[in-house]
Amino acid sequence: MIYPNNAADKLGFTDVKLHIQSLCLSDMGRQMVDKIQMMSNYDNINKFLRQTREFKEILENDSPLPIRHLFDIKSLAEKIRVEGAFLTEAELHQVLLSLQTVFSVISYFNERESRYPTLEALFEHLPIEKKILKSIEAVIDEKGKIRANASRELQEIVAGIARAEQEARKKIDHIFKAAQNSGYTADGSLTIRDGRLCIPLLAENKRKVKGFVHDESASGQTVYLEPEEVFQLNNKVRDLEFDKRREIIRILVALSHDLRPYVPLFLAYHSLLTKLDFVRAKALFAIETEAQMPVLVNKAELNLINARHPLLLLALRKEKQTVVPLNISIDEKQRIVVVSGPNAGGKSVCMKTVGLLQIMVQAGLLVPVDEHSVFGVFKQVFADIGDDQSIESDLSTYSAHLSKMKYFVENAGGKTLVLIDEFGTGTDPQFGGPIAEAVLDALNRKKIRGVVTTHYSNLKLFANATEGLENASMMFNNLEMQPMYILEMGKPGSSYAFEIAQKIGLPEHVLHAAKSKIGTHQKKVDTLLVDLERDKKDLLEKKVLLDKQQRRVDVLLRENEQLKEYLDENKKAILKEAKKEAQSIILNANKLIENTISEIKETKAEKESTAKLRQNLQQELKKHQITKENPKQVSKADEELKHGDWVKLTDSETVGQVIDVTKDNVILAIGDLRSVVKRKRVERITKKEVPKEVRKSYSSQLTDTYASFSPEIDIRGMRGEDALHEIEKYLDRALMMGMSSLKIIHGKGDGILRKLIRGYLSKYSQVSRMEDEHADRGGDGITYVYLS
């Protein structure tokens, strides 16, 4: 339900329908478009959206649908429903062409079974009755005329007419030549008068040739005479013509009688043709407005991403301008968005865009938004837009506003979308502001969803302090004094009234006088909003700089971690080597001692001294003995390769470092080369097993790479193929160094290079998402790529 009745007109929905009607091929399609209205059944909305999306897919990427002839066969079917009624030759030809279109369409979809399921449902279980075609084609030719051989009787009559006409022609030619030779004829040739073939005679000679005068010239000097000898033959032709007409009517009556049982089927065919024309027009409108099918949820919420007003989009395209996209979210926590900002800054367009797109989606129309946008289902849309004063009802502008507010408060609920433009205006601001605040509070308590535009400071403060309400502002370039038409959530906006007045050139003394008349509190609030806008812009620039510095710090930290890991591993190896060397020394010493003991035995030394000496040597050996480490149980997770591991190819001595692992493949860095090999062809090795020259070379290369690598690449002016080649090398280096995001400068132009790059990057599993740069810093001329 949309309230009031003129809300659809003011939001632009009526104009949208008119545009779609202009794209229809038939009157019945236009009539169906005229009946489009907002629905609240989720399944129906989803069905209509999918139908339009599938037809859009056909128009953009498939062979043309064979829709050639769309006639109103419903009225023709209703005509022959009456016993004894019949269709004319032209009407039967329309039926014939329409059925040919129906059967061609059904065959088209049968060849593409299951590819367009929602459209296929339009003619599900609808039979192709080719008997009807054969019956009509046996009587009506391809030009829409009755065939001469439609019946034996008709064939004989046509042949009789031809013979009689030929005989009459010969006879009158003979008489005409004789009259010419006698000088009786006037200038000219044989002519038709009252449906009879006549000879032009000079008036004074009309008695010299027997016959019947059918006409005379305006001057009276020429008469047109039918010779007596031809009269009987012409009568015969005329009688045969009457017989022919009666036979044709008999054939048409008989054919209409044969078609009468198919009337219900004709109505079904008519319904299919009407719906196809209807959906086709919606799909064409979607293509014109670059519309997509958003995510549809059965909740009272919406999240618009890069949304554009379709009518504004079409209007600005003619002027070769673009629409600044809108991003806004309304949900359970952020139910009502209070939009403020300068005059002519886009507040009303923002609100109308939300309302129009929501109505369009619930009417089954695709909308110009990002396909990830979310649209819920609302039961009602209430709108208060413009001046609705009524002389007949004795309502002033403000009274009309209050009447709507009364209706809104009494009838709105949790599934109502409320749209109010310039909330509270039309009366003394000292009173209009508090009344508007009270109405807004009442609507908020009823959990409605909505967008409200205002200049009132009390509403901005109320939205800031009230749960469920969210301030938003239309951004304004206070240096150039130009609106930016970008909605910024989370803060109110200044009206920039004095700044705009100063730019327009209002005299300085007038401005000073105006400033002295406003309250100190209001002046502080407005100044604070302007300063807040300026400070936020500075903070945004500093944040970008800090992010860049933070990425540099992260790179340095990773380098330090790698260096520490390298030193720790080498320290363990040195100690291990030292212990081995000490053990070797002690073993050698032990041998020397054994030899000494042997000599002592030979000299018959005391046994106790010898045992004590041996025991001391064994203890010293144990002190330097290296304990053998038990191999740890390697879990399945530890066996898996990860970024940074060193590996060796099993079928050669080639050593490389892992950049990434994808399913059964491993991406390796082997010197300056990048190679993709199967997982089973590599085995992990420790860093110690890597040759020193390889490690040294890689470490030096890595350091140089980190030092020289910039997370930003400019490919403006490059051809598509060259740009993709550069981005591929750039992405490999970024992944190898573990970068979290990249910045690609490709420029705006016609957007071809941007689409090509984003399509290419979307194939990489390591790319988590992509988005435009902020509109102040390049917008869709720059793509940020976030890596997982």
Side-chain angles (χ1 to χ4, degrees), residues 503-518:
K503 184 189 175 186
I504 290 173
L506 204 64
E508 197 69 28
H509 68 278
V510 176
L511 283 174
H512 281 303
K515 288 179 180 179
S516 66
K517 294 179 184 297
I518 65 171

Side-chain angles (χ1 to χ4, degrees), residues 340-343 347 455 460 473-474 476 491-500 525-531 533:
S340 51
N343 286 313
K347 299 189 301 297
H455 287 286
K460 302 174 190 177
S473 63
M474 302 306 298
F476 190 81
K491 75 174 190 66
S494 168
S495 296
Y496 290 93
F498 289 111
E499 289 81 359
I500 293 172
V525 169
D526 209 52
T527 303
L528 183 63
L529 290 174
V530 173
D531 293 342
E533 180 71 32

Side-chain angles (χ1 to χ4, degrees), residues 403-423:
S403 297
K404 290 180 189 172
M405 294 306 107
K406 175 178 179 292
Y407 186 89
F408 291 1
V409 171
E410 290 176 351
N411 297 281
K415 289 193 174 183
T416 304
L417 181 65
V418 174
L419 309 166
I420 304 176
D421 192 24
E422 299 295 349
F423 198 13

Side-chain angles (χ1 to χ4, degrees), residues 13 44 79 131 198-199 272 291 320 358 418 433 484 564 617 659 671:
F13 186 56
N44 286 340
K79 180 178 179 181
K131 289 188 214 174
C198 298
I199 296 173
L272 173 60
K320 296 185 179 179
Q358 183 63 49
V418 174
M484 299 168 66
K564 183 176 180 297
L617 289 171
I659 295 177

